[in-house]
Amino acid sequence: MSTAAGADLLFHPVHELAALVRSGELTARELVGESLDRIAELNPSINAFVDVFGEDALAEAGAIGPDDPRPFAGVPIAIKNNRPVEGRRLTFGSDLAGDFIAPYDHHVVARLKAAGFVIVGTTTLPEWGILPTTETRRFGPTRNPWDQSRTPGGSSGGSAAAVAAGMVPIAHANDGGGSTRIPAACCGLVGLKPQRGRISLAPEVGHSFLVSDGVLTRTVRETAEVLDLLSGPTLGDMTWAPPPAEPFAEAAGRRPKRLRIAMSTLSPVPGAPVDPASRQAVQDAAALLESLGHEVVEADPPWAQEELSRVFTASFGPAVCTQIRLAEMIAGREATAEDMEPLSWALFGLCKSINSIDSQLAEFQLHGVGRQLVTWVAQYDALLTPTLAEAPLPLGTLNPLDEDDPMGAFTRSASFTPFTPPCNISGQPAISLPLYEREDGLPLAVQLIGQPAEEGALLALAAQLEAAHPWAERRPTL
């Protein structure tokens, strides 16, 4: 079992941990060992990990010395179990995937390894990454370290729970409708969705309309530093974001000029309520921004459109269900209802009924929605909104196993997380910041939406807020 000092160690920023290893004050094996001890202690209750690579991770760490030039040599990290890690199970949280062993590393995994991170395991997600909660038939519910009766969010729920609980100091995530920002908000972490095309999706995919990879961290600086590592195209990418004028970590360390920032609590899902605490968080963040010298104006984006949820589903659904089709190819047979949860099976059936013309039309419609949002935001330097419309949901609220109403959880999820999908549609960067706490002690986040390809400016603003109202020392009681 990890010592109190060892457990505290894993709440330190990754650059500090790397510096301890580099100086010889701490060995990589000791650091990774503390992470594995913490996982062994807490994972039985939190259930954040699919697989833990204990002996292999220790062996890898044992080969790292203080003279290792890699920037994060010896720092433990976890990978969401929807990205291939060579030689490890890739399950997508589904029975259909079986125990398929990935034959290669995803681009993001390869870059993290090249930077010296030691992968200690893979983390849970909802089946196929569909829901903004993490409760699967195959692996069971993942619990929020702040309140184990509640969800850590999704779809990167296991990664967020692992970081919030101090099992690892950082974890991989990705975001196709909020799947980095939602668990960040639920678990009191920083979650950035980068600009579309900022991080390569190689080797499988050359471009994605909705999905961006990233990490979950405790501080803005860590997010910026790792974004520098992961950014940039690889050969074969179809599209990519323009390179930044300077490293993101440098931009994040620069005090922003006086900005004009819009604020809105208007839900993009017409008629969906936004709870008073989420509204108050935006008001408080606006006041904080004004105290820092910025101008804040109330203005609602043109995103409360009745048809938006249906059109988003017509694009998001087929993108998700492509994973099911690939799993069928690997299994060498067609999937059956017994292979997956009722929600996944219902969504798969729905997507098979969408013809190629309607799917393409939906994406064209979303292009227009995205262009409209980018154009509207362009009159400001950033947009401030809630990240979530509600507190982290009690486990079981979104039930993917409901056979009577299999799509009910998917429909209900829209009112929980209405503020995150628009930026996947527009492609622009957005970040969730855990600025506040609810009355019951649960994290309470706000979202900042930035200009296209301007993650540096967004990170600088986020860092200014963090310095004015720090959150990194808050920890759940476990």
Side-chain angles (χ1 to χ4, degrees):
M1 183 175 292
S2 62
T3 65
D8 179 73
L9 188 67
L10 294 165
F11 287 92
H12 287 219
V14 291
H15 47 269
E16 291 183 10
L17 295 174
L20 290 173
V21 173
R22 195 175 301 115
S23 70
E25 186 175 342
L26 181 73
T27 70
R29 186 180 176 91
E30 288 170 335
L31 179 55
V32 169
E34 289 293 348
S35 175
L36 294 170
D37 286 348
R38 184 83 168 167
I39 293 168
E41 178 184 355
L42 296 177
N43 198 57
S45 59
I46 300 297
N47 190 33
F49 281 83
V50 172
D51 289 315
V52 180
F53 312 147
E55 292 303 317
D56 289 342
L58 285 173
E60 182 181 341
I64 295 172
D67 57 345
D68 195 307
R70 296 175 295 174
F72 295 102
V75 177
I77 194 170
I79 304 297
K80 183 178 176 181
N81 199 247
N82 68 347
R83 291 294 185 238
V85 179
E86 184 178 2
R88 306 297 181 181
R89 282 200 303 175
L90 181 62
T91 71
F92 298 93
S94 178
D95 291 324
L96 179 61
D99 292 321
F100 173 69
I101 302 299
Y104 56 84
D105 284 331
H106 188 270
H107 162 76
V108 166
V109 174
R111 287 211 174 176
L112 292 169
K113 285 182 175 180
F117 283 106
V118 176
I119 299 172
V120 296
T122 55
T123 56
T124 56
L125 67 156
E127 189 171 69
W128 310 114
I130 295 172
L131 287 177
T133 61
T134 303
E135 307 168 50
T136 63
R137 181 177 70 184
R138 181 168 186 181
F139 297 114
T142 298
R143 300 180 181 275
N144 191 323
W146 292 89
D147 178 348
Q148 293 188 35
S149 71
R150 294 178 180 268
T151 183
S155 63
S156 307
S159 287
V163 177
M167 291 189 262
V168 286
I170 186 172
H172 161 260
N174 41 39
D175 190 317
S179 289
T180 298
R181 290 162 288 156
I182 294 162
C186 288
C187 292
L189 304 172
V190 176
L192 171 72
K193 184 203 80 68
Q195 172 67 31
R196 177 188 293 136
R198 176 67 65 202
I199 297 172
S200 175
L201 297 166
E204 305 102 324
V205 179
H207 164 80
S208 174
F209 179 50
L210 296 175
V211 178
S212 297
D213 280 83
V215 288
L216 287 157
T217 68
R218 287 192 181 81
T219 68
V220 173
R221 175 178 170 179
E222 293 169 280
T223 291
E225 289 174 336
V226 178
L227 183 60
D228 281 321
L229 286 178
L230 300 180
S231 295
T234 63
L235 288 173
D237 285 350
M238 296 168 59
T239 60
W240 53 87
E246 61 180 340
F248 294 114
E250 289 186 16
R254 185 169 290 114
R255 181 181 176 86
K257 67 181 189 307
R258 186 172 191 267
L259 303 176
R260 187 167 185 258
I261 299 166
M263 58 170 283
S264 176
T265 58
L266 175 69
S267 173
V269 177
V274 180
D275 74 6
S278 299
R279 292 179 181 275
Q280 188 61 51
V282 170
Q283 294 287 343
D284 291 345
L288 179 58
L289 287 164
E290 288 179 332
S291 76
L292 295 170
H294 303 297
E295 178 189 2
V296 182
V297 298
E298 294 190 40
D300 292 328
W303 60 17
Q305 303 177 26
E306 290 290 346
E307 290 296 297
L308 186 56
S309 291
R310 182 191 63 78
V311 176
F312 182 79
T313 300
S315 179
F316 174 82
V320 167
C321 290
T322 299
Q323 299 170 122
I324 301 176
R325 182 66 82 202
L326 289 170
E328 286 183 323
M329 295 168 64
I330 291 168
R333 62 177 179 82
E334 291 189 0
T336 67
E338 289 70 36
D339 287 317
M340 64 190 83
E341 297 165 355
L343 167 58
S344 301
W345 183 247
L347 186 63
F348 192 41
L350 172 66
C351 292
K352 286 193 288 186
S353 73
I354 299 172
N355 64 45
S356 60
I357 297 172
D358 289 341
S359 179
Q360 192 69 50
L361 176 61
E363 187 159 317
F364 286 160
Q365 289 174 289
L366 291 179
H367 290 177
V369 171
R371 191 182 297 274
Q372 190 177 24
L373 178 58
V374 168
T375 302
W376 186 89
V377 175
Q379 62 190 308
Y380 307 99
D381 294 296
L383 169 62
L384 170 69
T385 75
T387 305
L388 305 174
E390 304 174 66
L393 298 177
L395 293 171
T397 303
L398 303 183
N399 180 12
L401 305 181
D402 187 346
E403 295 182 356
D404 294 329
D405 184 16
M407 287 294 290
F410 185 76
T411 303
R412 167 68 176 84
S413 68
S415 60
F416 174 43
T417 61
F419 293 98
T420 55
C423 291
N424 298 87
I425 296 170
S426 67
Q428 66 204 105
I431 192 167
S432 180
L433 302 175
L435 272 174
Y436 304 112
E437 296 175 87
R438 293 178 178 269
E439 289 184 357
D440 57 6
L442 286 170
L444 178 58
V446 297
Q447 175 178 238
L448 284 170
I449 298 170
Q451 294 296 333
E454 291 293 338
E455 293 99 318
L458 186 64
L459 288 162
L461 180 58
Q464 186 183 35
L465 286 170
E466 181 182 21
H469 196 77
W471 56 71
E473 294 304 314
R474 297 185 206 141
R475 301 176 190 177
T477 300
L478 292 166

